[in-house]
Amino acid sequence: MRLTKNSLLRILHYLLPLGILLICIFLRWQDVPFVDQMRLSVFDTYQRIAPRQYEDVGVRIIDIDEKSLEELGQWPWPRTRLAGLVYRLRSAGARVVGFDVVFAEPDRTSPARVVKDWPKGTESDEITALADKLPDHDKLFAQFIQGTGQVVTAIQLSNKKLETPPRQIGNFSTSGEAGRKLSDFIAVLPGAAKNLDIIENAASGNALVNVSPEQDGVVRRVPLLAALDYDLPVIGMPVYPTLSMEMLRVLQDAPKTMNVRMSGASGSSRWTRSEGIEAIRVGAITIPTDHAGYMWVHFTGREKQRYISALDVLNDTLPPESLRDTIVLIGTSAAGLLDLRSTPLDRVLPGVEVHAEMLEQMLLGHFLTRPYWAAETESFVLLLIGLFFVLAVPRLGAVWPAVIGGTLAFGAAGFSWWAYDAKLLLIDPVYPLVSLLAVYLATSSIGFVRTEGERRQVRSAFGNYLSPALVNQLSRHPEQLKLGGETRDMTLMFCDVRGFTSISEGFKSNPQGLTRLINRLLTPLTKCILDREGTIDKYMGDCIMAFWNAPLDVENHAHHACDSALAMREALDHLNAERLGEAKRDNEKFLPLNIGIGINCGDCLVGNMGSDQRFDYSVLGDAVNLASRLEGQSKNYGVDIVLGEDVAKRVENDFATLELDLIAVKGKSEAVHIFALLGGAKLCQTEEFRNCQILHKSMLDAYRTQQWDKAEELLDQCRQASRGVGALAALYDMYSDRIVTFRETPPPVEWDGVFIATSK
């Protein structure tokens, strides 16, 4: 079956937005970078509007700051100084000490290493021997770490290969996800920067300090565990905890094995097919994560209360009890040491503070989470509302779906904010809304194209038949055009040229001249109709068929038709005057053009009529046939405009009308009263017309009651009274002839005055 342009647009009105919707859902599940970045930007905005309120739970950062470096010298410091720092912290009451520093190289300030760089001389051997007897700084540092206890050292997983893996102290067991390894879900890196073995072996914990920024360089979530691509004989790939989580384990003196709860584990509430990690249990604390073991950081922004200068600790200038029962992280805020990060709240933040804020959240049980069902819910909402747009916009138009969609959009945005602010849940409202906007714009754009196409089609179909005002109205509101047919109360007009056969004979040798003459006649007559909100149904040679009150409503359509008929009479007079002048100028024979018009009202079926191959917007009904018969009777009654009874009743107070006859037209057994239209309101209000109307009615009454003498007397009076009203002489001559005939052959006694027409 051949598809038309409209059919194709109608199909595309559904398929294109549906395709865009499916693409948007596909991109959402593929988590392409721009989709992920869009979502993260929303979550950043939430944090900036409502950051986590700082609560002091004893987490402190011992800051190797610019002041400490200026006073004590550049980094790295001697390990003896760091040993003294650890000793002072533990002595002051710090419960756990964690390093955000990797001690991968031996301390160059150890005596045995220092003397190797001295110039060789006579005393160098003696000095070297004495230096070898002095304590090694790394060994001394390890002794302090082991002796004070509760110290966690750092490792940094990287892409650099290494010969031996870092020491694994805190480790993991899993529950759920039978048959799947932890390394299937978490980050796996091939190498690491590790501490010296002597330092590592002395620590109570060994943990990751990896802080993984997103693709835009902003830290929002941190992996709580990661694997090293180094298969150990018994356990396979070693998995290491992050610094904050390892410190939490040491703080609680919890078992070294932490439990990773996977989807499908006992007690899991997961109801979707999403796989991965749900939470990690460390001692008595459970930390929710995303599927890859990342923890969302709910930042407070930089708080001075967290920070204590390392210089103040080493110089013993801190207030008493200031470190009692604290958990301290040793790190740096110095720009030159390059441990600076960007967060949603701070463009530059020391990396150690990220670990501090994570530790605070763990101790507070304050967890910002993106629930496992978020992706499914967002996609479901996108699919549901998207399908609503796909199905509703073609049917309801663009406005109401936009109102409903806008309401749902505000609702989704409000729910997302409430979930964050009240429940610490991260629900993305933006990508579904942007996707829905794309779907809406697609379907509304096609709707606009379809509407414009319909308007062009309406203009094309009706531009030559309707007035410009009606065409514009119909193009703006094509839904008012009920294609396929409807029943309406309408006024019909037929207009035909009298004696056209005789006129056309004069153009036998000049058919182009006849065409120009017809066009010259039909153009002003058509304008008279279109200017009065009429619709041209068709041209049939020298005949015009027109109607009113379709395809759009026309108030007082019978009045418009009568007004058009009078205007057509006047336009014809002007045309004949022009042609007469042209005939005299060219010394040609002049044949005036005369028209007959029939106008009738009634219920008709109007719409697209025809076949599958060709159809026209036209009208059918008994009222149409009668209008055609009335036009044909105009020549018999000697008038140029004949009205049906219903038309005459509707316009009798505004137009000058006279009843012509009670006639049964050819093809109809039922008789109807027919009327002549003589003029407009001006003539209707004259005393002359009213007298003529009264005499005319009396004449008809006498005629129909077979009072022939009285009727003939009244006919003479009517001729006198009608001289200033209209050309009615032929009408009254017709009645005189009928009376003569009836005197010779009287009609039946029960005759009611009906004249039976024998011609159209």
Side-chain angles (χ1 to χ4, degrees):
M1 184 177 69
R2 182 182 175 186
L3 286 177
T4 65
K5 183 178 179 181
N6 284 340
S7 299
L8 183 60
L9 281 175
R10 192 176 298 112
I11 294 171
L12 283 177
H13 209 165
Y14 293 95
L15 290 185
L16 181 60
L18 181 60
I20 291 175
L21 175 61
L22 296 177
I23 290 172
C24 290
I25 293 175
F26 174 78
L27 293 177
R28 169 63 192 81
W29 278 103
Q30 292 298 311
D31 229 1
V32 294
F34 83 88
V35 174
D36 189 48
Q37 189 59 48
M38 188 185 305
R39 180 168 56 248
L40 295 176
S41 297
V42 176
F43 299 158
D44 289 352
T45 302
Y46 287 174
Q47 290 220 42
R48 285 191 286 269
I49 295 172
R52 178 171 64 88
Q53 295 299 310
Y54 175 70
E55 297 179 60
D56 187 5
V57 290
V59 176
R60 295 291 183 269
I61 297 171
I62 306 304
D63 189 10
I64 304 172
D65 54 7
E66 299 287 354
K67 180 177 71 171
S68 301
L69 295 175
E70 183 178 348
E71 181 74 22
L72 301 175
Q74 67 181 14
W75 186 264
W77 287 344
R79 303 282 158 82
T80 51
R81 183 177 296 162
L82 293 176
L85 182 61
V86 171
Y87 176 76
R88 283 176 172 80
L89 290 172
R90 291 288 286 142
S91 298
R95 299 175 63 187
V96 179
V97 176
F99 278 97
D100 187 21
V101 181
V102 179
F103 304 106
E105 303 292 336
D107 187 354
R108 290 178 297 174
T109 65
S110 292
R113 293 186 181 88
V114 170
V115 298
K116 291 180 181 179
D117 297 327
W118 289 1
K120 299 297 182 181
T122 56
E123 298 177 349
S124 59
D125 292 340
E126 183 180 350
I127 293 173
T128 300
L130 289 173
D132 288 340
K133 294 179 181 180
L134 293 175
D136 179 79
H137 288 185
D138 292 321
K139 184 176 181 181
L140 186 63
F141 183 43
Q143 289 173 349
F144 269 82
I145 289 175
Q146 188 172 24
T148 58
Q150 304 295 92
V151 176
V152 178
T153 52
I155 56 175
Q156 177 86 44
L157 293 186
S158 67
N159 291 320
K160 182 180 179 182
K161 285 286 187 179
L162 76 169
E163 294 182 1
T164 58
R167 180 188 176 202
Q168 184 185 28
I169 302 174
N171 54 69
F172 300 93
S173 65
T174 60
S175 57
E177 290 291 353
R180 298 294 297 274
K181 294 182 293 184
L182 194 56
S183 57
D184 291 339
F185 301 101
I186 64 176
V188 179
L189 292 172
K194 63 183 291 273
N195 296 286
L196 298 174
D197 290 341
I198 191 173
I199 296 174
E200 229 174 44
N201 292 333
S204 302
N206 202 26
L208 299 171
V209 290
N210 290 67
V211 175
S212 303
E214 309 288 348
Q215 58 185 354
D216 59 354
V218 177
V219 175
R220 300 179 180 89
R221 44 193 171 181
V222 175
L224 293 184
L225 65 173
L228 179 64
D229 190 8
Y230 189 102
D231 283 327
L232 296 174
V234 178
I235 65 173
M237 287 186 187
V239 178
Y240 299 92
T242 195
L243 178 60
S244 54
M245 192 164 66
E246 182 76 333
M247 290 179 69
L248 182 67
R249 181 189 66 80
V250 173
L251 175 68
Q252 297 179 91
D253 196 21
K256 293 180 179 179
T257 300
M258 294 167 275
N259 179 256
V260 179
R261 186 171 70 189
M262 311 290 285
S263 59
S266 176
S268 171
S269 59
R270 187 176 297 270
W271 47 267
T272 71
R273 293 188 177 182
S274 298
E275 296 180 325
I277 301 171
E278 281 191 0
I280 301 175
R281 186 170 183 82
V282 182
I285 297 175
T286 300
I287 307 166
T289 71
D290 69 5
H291 72 284
Y294 281 71
M295 171 182 167
W296 289 87
V297 186
H298 197 188
F299 292 96
T300 64
R302 189 163 183 177
E303 289 285 341
K304 291 183 178 180
Q305 188 174 340
R306 289 193 185 100
Y307 286 83
I308 298 174
S309 175
L311 180 64
D312 293 335
V313 178
L314 291 169
N315 289 343
D316 290 326
T317 58
L318 291 176
E321 305 295 321
S322 58
L323 289 171
R324 176 67 57 189
D325 293 328
T326 57
I327 305 103
V328 299
L329 296 103
I330 300 174
T332 180
S333 65
L337 298 185
L338 303 178
D339 187 27
L340 299 176
R341 299 287 186 265
S342 293
T343 72
L345 301 185
D346 298 278
R347 294 185 64 182
V348 177
L349 188 78
V352 67
E353 183 166 331
V354 176
H355 297 291
E357 294 214 33
M358 293 173 64
L359 188 53
E360 287 174 355
Q361 288 181 245
M362 294 174 187
L363 294 171
L364 289 168
H366 178 105
F367 297 109
L368 189 63
T369 60
R370 176 149 170 81
Y372 68 89
W373 45 262
E376 287 90 341
T377 301
E378 292 159 5
S379 298
F380 178 74
V381 170
L382 172 58
L383 178 63
L384 190 65
I385 304 179
L387 287 176
F388 167 74
F389 281 151
V390 170
L391 297 175
V393 173
R395 290 172 168 82
L396 303 179
V399 177
W400 277 111
V403 172
I404 296 171
T407 303
L408 293 174
F410 278 111
F415 172 78
S416 174
W417 171 254
W418 172 84
Y420 166 80
D421 191 48
K423 301 297 183 181
L424 299 177
L425 301 178
L426 295 173
I427 309 296
D428 175 25
V430 171
Y431 182 73
L433 296 184
V434 170
S435 301
L436 290 172
L437 179 62
V439 173
Y440 173 77
L441 290 177
T443 186
S444 59
S445 296
I446 295 178
F448 175 77
V449 172
R450 280 188 63 190
T451 300
E452 284 302 304
E454 290 173 352
R455 289 176 179 175
R456 286 193 296 270
Q457 183 180 9
V458 166
R459 291 190 185 101
S460 175
F462 292 94
N464 295 324
Y465 307 101
L466 290 173
S467 67
L470 284 178
V471 172
N472 290 334
Q473 182 181 352
L474 194 57
S475 66
R476 288 195 303 270
H477 304 285
E479 69 278 2
Q480 296 183 18
L481 177 62
K482 297 181 180 178
L483 301 179
E486 60 175 324
T487 300
R488 299 179 72 104
D489 174 43
M490 301 176 64
T491 299
L492 299 309
M493 172 192 283
F494 282 83
C495 172
D496 196 11
V497 177
R498 295 279 171 260
F500 184 71
T501 301
S502 300
I503 295 173
S504 61
E505 287 178 354
F507 288 89
K508 284 183 178 180
S509 60
N510 184 18
Q512 292 82 4
L514 179 62
T515 301
R516 286 194 297 272
L517 176 62
I518 290 299
N519 291 340
R520 194 175 175 186
L521 169 66
L522 296 182
T523 297
L525 299 187
T526 298
K527 187 176 186 303
C528 293
I529 295 171
L530 297 182
D531 287 349
R532 291 157 182 82
E533 301 185 63
T535 299
I536 303 297
D537 184 289
K538 60 178 68 73
Y539 298 104
M540 298 167 286
D542 60 320
C543 179
I544 301 174
M545 176 182 174
F547 52 77
W548 280 259
N549 205 36
L552 299 179
D553 294 336
V554 177
E555 190 175 355
N556 295 325
H557 46 87
H559 289 69
H560 286 290
C562 292
D563 194 26
S564 297
L566 295 175
M568 292 164 71
R569 174 199 289 169
E570 185 176 349
L572 182 62
D573 291 341
H574 286 303
L575 177 60
N576 280 329
E578 290 177 6
R579 292 181 58 248
L580 177 60
E582 293 167 0
K584 290 180 178 179
R585 182 191 65 204
D586 299 333
N587 196 26
E588 294 179 349
K589 182 180 179 181
F590 171 67
L591 291 175
L593 292 171
N594 297 299
I595 59 173
I597 298 174
I599 302 175
N600 190 43
C601 286
D603 289 337
C604 302
L605 179 66
V606 62
N608 281 336
M609 310 293 180
S611 64
D612 291 339
Q613 292 78 22
R614 176 179 172 82
F615 57 84
D616 290 313
Y617 189 78
S618 189
V619 61
L620 295 174
D622 184 63
V624 181
N625 299 329
L626 181 56
S628 176
R629 297 291 187 268
L630 296 181
E631 179 275 320
Q633 292 299 321
S634 62
K635 59 180 178 292
N636 298 329
Y637 288 89
V639 295
D640 52 4
I641 306 173
V642 180
L643 307 181
E645 183 176 2
D646 194 23
V647 178
K649 288 181 180 179
R650 298 188 191 193
V651 304
E652 60 183 354
N653 295 324
D654 301 305
F655 291 87
T657 62
L658 285 178
E659 184 178 356
L660 293 175
D661 203 354
L662 179 62
I663 183 173
V665 298
K666 189 172 183 180
K668 289 181 65 68
S669 58
E670 184 179 351
V672 293
H673 293 274
I674 61 175
F675 295 77
L677 176 62
L678 303 178
K682 185 177 180 180
L683 177 62
C684 181
Q685 302 300 323
T686 62
E687 189 71 25
E688 190 175 16
F689 171 73
R690 290 178 180 176
N691 290 334
C692 179
Q693 194 177 39
I694 293 171
L695 288 171
H696 186 84
K697 184 178 184 306
S698 299
M699 182 274 293
L700 289 178
D701 290 340
Y703 168 76
R704 289 167 182 163
T705 57
Q706 302 183 36
Q707 302 178 52
W708 311 125
D709 293 339
K710 184 178 179 180
E712 286 184 329
E713 181 182 343
L714 288 170
L715 277 172
D716 291 337
Q717 297 179 34
C718 286
R719 287 188 180 93
Q720 294 294 326
S722 65
R723 286 176 181 174
V725 174
L728 298 173
L731 172 67
Y732 294 135
D733 289 345
M734 181 197 71
Y735 272 104
S736 293
D737 292 341
R738 284 188 187 178
I739 290 172
V740 171
T741 301
F742 284 144
R743 284 183 185 278
E744 296 176 356
T745 309
V749 177
E750 67 277 7
W751 180 70
D752 55 5
V754 175
F755 177 76
I756 300 175
T758 58
S759 65
K760 297 182 179 180

